[in-house]
Amino acid sequence: MPVRIEKNKNLTTAFLSGEIDHHSSAFLREEIDKAVNVVMPRELCLDFMHVSFMDSSGIGLVMGRYKLMHAIGGKLKVRGVNASTMKVMKLAGLDLLAKIDCKGEER
C-alpha cells in the first residue's frame, strides 16, 4: 500500500491509498511513525480519501497513531473516510479519540 507523507512542524499528513489490511498495516505504521518521530508535529492527519478497503488493521492503525500523538502532546485527525468506514470507526469509538471527517465534508 502506498503512502505519501507531507511533513512540517505543525502538521504531518499521511495520504493513504489502496487497501489497509494485515498485509499493509505494518509498513504504514513504520512509515507514519518514522515521519512523526522526526518532525514531532502538533497534529497528524490520516487522509483516507483514496482507501478502497479497510479491515480491523485500519482501526489498529488509527488507535496506534492516536497513542503516538498523545504521547508527544499532539492531536490526531482522520479525514476523507467513506460512509461505511465512518460507521466502523464510530463503532470502534475512534470518533472519541480523533476528529473524523467523511468524504465531501469541508476540511
Side-chain angles (χ1 to χ4, degrees):
M1 161 180 260
V3 59
R4 181 175 55 89
I5 299 176
E6 292 181 0
K7 308 177 269 193
N8 71 50
K9 68 178 183 170
N10 294 319
L11 173 66
T12 294
T13 303
F15 296 92
L16 309 169
S17 62
E19 298 184 356
I20 301 176
D21 57 21
H22 70 280
H23 297 293
S24 62
S25 60
F27 171 77
L28 294 173
R29 282 192 309 270
E30 290 172 13
E31 292 299 305
I32 294 167
D33 290 359
K34 188 179 353 174
V36 168
N37 288 321
V38 167
V39 179
M40 304 293 278
R42 291 189 181 126
E43 184 176 43
L44 170 64
C45 179
L46 302 178
D47 188 306
F48 278 72
M49 186 64 71
H50 298 288
V51 172
S52 57
F53 171 81
M54 182 186 86
D55 66 11
S56 61
S57 300
I59 300 298
L61 176 74
V62 174
M63 289 181 80
R65 290 343 89 214
Y66 166 78
K67 290 178 183 177
L68 174 64
M69 291 306 295
H70 186 265
I72 65 169
K75 294 183 179 185
L76 176 68
K77 179 178 180 180
V78 179
R79 72 178 182 201
V81 298
N82 63 34
S84 63
T85 301
M86 175 66 100
K87 194 183 298 185
V88 171
M89 288 186 175
K90 283 188 172 187
L91 283 171
L94 295 181
D95 59 323
L96 302 174
L97 304 177
K99 180 176 181 182
I100 303 174
D101 295 331
C102 272
K103 285 182 181 177
E105 287 187 3
E106 281 295 313
R107 289 187 179 64

